[in-house]
Amino acid sequence: MNVWSGIGRLTRDCEQRTMPNGDQVVAFDIAVDTGSKQSPSTMFLSVSCFGKTADIVSQYAGTKGTQIGVTGRLRQENWDDKTTGAKRSKISCVAERVTLIGGRKDSSDQSPSHYAGDESQAGTVGSAANGFDGSRELDPTAEVPF
């Protein structure tokens, strides 16, 4: 089983791209507190989401500092460094579910409705709300859950 869940803050604005086949992909990085008050530490993770989930994330959660919850599968990316030739790798997450939790850390409005101006358009996108059971990729033609 390959499932990861975490809550963190965007470390940069979301970046939306269109793949050659026309599908949308949004990439963002989050900072997740992993330590305790006595021994604080932070993990940084790159996240990608696709299809309608990507559209919603880019529209409502696109700014640095926004708190966001992610559930997805981890993957290891491997490449050769172009300058040194050294083998490199990193762990990233392919989001299957994204929850819009609150505004920016310095924002006075911490509610999910901050993104849409309307609670009916805030909250969780992807996953179970779209019938996603983890056994297949997200269907970009599926209806948005709200």
Side-chain angles (χ1 to χ4, degrees):
M1 179 180 283
N2 180 2
V3 177
W4 180 85
S5 292
I7 295 174
R9 293 200 178 271
L10 296 177
T11 62
R12 62 183 173 96
D13 292 352
C14 293
E15 177 184 322
Q16 185 172 17
R17 298 184 310 268
T18 302
M19 296 171 40
N21 66 1
D23 290 346
Q24 297 296 310
V25 61
V26 169
F28 54 92
D29 296 330
I30 59 173
V32 179
D33 292 330
T34 57
S36 64
K37 287 186 180 189
Q38 296 78 20
S39 177
S41 91
T42 304
M43 174 183 71
F44 296 92
L45 187 67
S46 296
V47 180
S48 299
C49 55
F50 300 89
K52 290 201 179 213
T53 301
D55 293 338
I56 299 300
V57 169
S58 69
Q59 188 173 5
Y60 297 113
T63 59
K64 179 179 177 180
T66 301
Q67 191 172 31
I68 192 167
V70 175
T71 300
R73 66 186 191 286
L74 296 178
R75 70 176 177 194
Q76 184 169 1
E77 300 175 31
N78 300 301
W79 71 95
D80 293 328
D81 188 295
K82 291 180 182 178
T83 56
T84 65
K87 298 223 181 270
R88 305 283 312 251
S89 70
K90 77 173 186 175
I91 302 294
S92 64
C93 179
V94 176
E96 295 164 354
R97 181 177 184 169
V98 173
T99 304
L100 309 177
I101 296 172
R104 291 172 46 114
K105 193 171 191 173
D106 59 354
S107 171
S108 61
D109 184 358
Q110 295 294 314
S111 67
S113 61
H114 170 73
Y115 301 104
D118 168 353
E119 285 188 69
S120 68
Q121 293 191 355
T124 300
V125 294
S127 128
N130 282 344
F132 186 80
D133 64 3
S135 63
R136 59 181 169 76
E137 291 295 318
L138 289 176
D139 176 5
T141 62
E143 243 182 70
V144 178
F146 48 82

